């Protein structure tokens, strides 16, 4: 596996404000790396530095093992969409894509037609960009980023404005590209989608990279909790404690337990309650999602 993106102590300051501080990360070929953070955390600034749009205050960026300044033809292998997708407002979808194709040195009209079909833009071929819905404007931006079949794709909020069907289509498309060897680095605030799509997740907060985790390892980091409700929760609490299970009554209508033994044996707890004439009215084991894990990570740092 080869390294496609590498940063070392990447830092960007705007006057006295530090937008990104000491960012060091690597992204390998074929990875889908999700860069997660609140608004203002430094996501877009980082992507702009990766693209050479702004210069870092200090630190370094290499793409495909090369410094950005020493390998100008590197951009032939890079596709990107940063923040709001831009287009020529008075030109049609086809005309916008034709211009990008020519700028990319692509002179086959088949390429434009293929990318429109792939992003479901064919029916809007002759529509002016200024009259596109937010979702279709997003599709147009993605089409421009994908047209030249890049080896590296940098996307800032790529599913913003898409309906559920569009989000699924883009997810499947990016997964296919990753499977074919394209490396994808993207930011998004739709964390549930990132959990489904990404192979690795990086959490940035206040300009600093707090944590990186492979998605396959995420389930071992998520907190789990057993919830139990009976007609007498105080009696149920005593019952569980008598049998060695730890639980608490935090007010409300439920007993709460993060005890590993209780989480592993909910059926035994149900049987104990039934035998003690405390049949469960509710018994479940709930696991936090990526959104809660993200919030817990940034709030405990």
């Amino acid at each position: 596996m080869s390294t496609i993106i590498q940063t070392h102590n990447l830092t960007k300051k705007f006057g006295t404000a530090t937008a990104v501080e000491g960012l060091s990360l690597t992204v390998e070929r074929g990875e889908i790396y999700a860069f997660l953070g609140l608004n203002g955390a430094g996501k877009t600034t980082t992507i702009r530095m990766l693209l050479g749009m702004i210069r870092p205050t200090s630190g370094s960026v290499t793409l495909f093992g090369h410094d950005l300044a020493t390998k100008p033809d590197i951009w032939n292998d890079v596709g990107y969409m940063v923040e709001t997708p831009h287009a020529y407002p008075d030109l049609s979808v086809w005309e916008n894509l034709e211009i990008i194709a020519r700028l990319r040195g692509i002179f086959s009209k088949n390429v434009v037609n293929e990318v429109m079909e792939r992003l479901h833009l064919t029916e809007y071929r002759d529509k002016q960009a200024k009259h596109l819905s937010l979702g279709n404007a997003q599709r147009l931006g993605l089409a421009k980023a994908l047209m030249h079949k890049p080896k590296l794709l940098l996307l800032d909020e790529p599913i913003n404005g898409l309906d559920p069907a569009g989000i699924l289509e883009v997810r499947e498309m990016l997964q296919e590209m990753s499977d074919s060897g394209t490396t994808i680095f993207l930011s998004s605030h739709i964390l549930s989608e990132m959990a489904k799509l990404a192979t690795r997740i990086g959490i940035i907060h206040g300009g600093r990279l707090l944590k990186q985790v492979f998605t396959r390892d995420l389930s071992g980091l998520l907190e789990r909790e057993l919830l139990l409700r009976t007609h007498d929760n105080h009696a149920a609490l005593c019952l569980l404690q008598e049998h060695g299970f730890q639980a608490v009554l935090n007010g409300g209508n439920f007993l709460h337990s993060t005890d590993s033994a209780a989480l592993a044996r909910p059926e035994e707890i149900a049987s104990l309650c039934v035998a003690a004439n405390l049949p469960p009215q509710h018994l479940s084991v709930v696991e936090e999602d990526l959104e809660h894990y993200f919030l817990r990570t940034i709030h405990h740092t």
Side-chain angles (χ1 to χ4, degrees), residues 33 44 84 105 110 127 131 140 145 161 187 190 208-209 215 268:
Y33 189 105
T44 300
T84 304
N110 287 337
K127 193 167 190 174
H131 295 310
L140 178 57
S187 74
I190 306 178
R208 300 183 65 86
L209 186 64
T215 310
E268 182 178 335

Side-chain angles (χ1 to χ4, degrees), residues 21-90:
E21 184 175 0
L23 179 68
S24 296
L25 58 79
T26 60
V27 182
E28 306 296 334
R29 181 180 181 273
E31 271 198 282
I32 301 179
Y33 189 105
F35 203 44
L36 308 181
L38 301 174
N39 291 338
K43 303 188 302 296
T44 300
T45 298
T46 297
I47 290 176
R48 288 183 175 277
M49 286 192 284
L50 293 179
L51 287 167
M53 292 179 172
I54 56 176
R55 292 181 178 274
T57 304
S58 60
S60 62
V61 176
T62 60
L63 302 182
F64 305 100
H66 299 283
D67 184 270
L68 301 184
T70 62
K71 188 93 169 140
D73 62 346
I74 203 170
W75 304 115
N76 295 332
D77 294 324
V78 179
Y80 64 91
M81 185 174 71
V82 183
E83 294 185 306
T84 304
H86 296 285
Y88 296 101
D90 294 319

Side-chain angles (χ1 to χ4, degrees), residues 5 10 50 98 123 143 174 189 192 195-196 235 246 278 280 299:
I5 299 174
L10 194 62
L50 293 179
E98 174 71 7
E123 66 179 291
L174 294 179
H189 66 280
S192 59
K196 298 172 187 173
Q246 298 177 18
L278 294 165
H299 290 153

Side-chain angles (χ1 to χ4, degrees), residues 96-259:
N96 267 279
L97 292 174
E98 174 71 7
I99 289 172
I100 297 299
R102 290 182 177 275
L103 289 173
R104 286 285 188 183
I106 302 169
F107 298 100
S108 169
K109 288 183 171 57
N110 287 337
V111 172
V112 175
N113 291 329
E114 286 169 6
V115 77
M116 282 196 301
E117 185 173 348
R118 189 172 193 183
L119 273 299
H120 300 278
L121 286 168
T122 304
E123 66 179 291
Y124 306 104
R125 169 192 174 98
D126 299 320
K127 193 167 190 174
Q128 289 178 307
K130 66 184 178 183
H131 295 310
L132 292 174
S133 67
L134 177 60
N136 284 326
Q138 195 79 356
R139 290 174 189 269
L140 178 57
L142 285 168
K144 292 191 288 186
L146 301 174
M147 182 183 298
H148 59 299
K149 298 179 173 62
K151 296 178 182 177
L152 170 62
L153 197 53
L154 296 161
L155 302 173
D156 191 13
E157 301 288 355
I159 53 180
N160 184 42
L162 296 178
D163 59 24
I167 290 173
L168 177 60
E169 291 163 6
V170 170
R171 187 206 312 159
E172 291 176 344
M173 180 183 65
L174 294 179
Q175 186 62 65
E176 288 173 10
M177 294 178 68
S178 170
D179 292 342
S180 299
T182 301
T183 304
I184 301 168
F185 185 96
L186 71 165
S187 74
S188 179
H189 66 280
I190 306 178
L191 303 191
S192 59
E193 280 303 311
M194 296 302 99
K196 298 172 187 173
L197 177 64
T199 53
R200 192 151 54 107
I201 290 167
I203 295 176
I204 184 172
H205 185 61
R208 300 183 65 86
L209 186 64
L210 301 184
K211 187 165 291 189
Q212 297 183 92
V213 59
F214 284 99
T215 310
R216 63 174 181 263
D217 299 328
L218 190 59
S219 62
L221 301 173
L222 300 179
E223 291 186 346
R224 300 167 71 230
E225 183 178 37
L226 182 140
L227 300 177
L228 172 65
R229 184 178 70 233
T230 73
H231 66 82
D232 188 341
N233 285 339
H234 289 281
L237 176 61
C238 294
L239 177 67
L240 264 59
Q241 291 173 340
E242 287 171 9
H243 287 82
F245 296 110
Q246 298 177 18
V248 294
L249 265 172
N250 286 334
N253 297 318
F254 291 95
L255 281 169
H256 301 258
S257 177
T258 56
D259 179 10

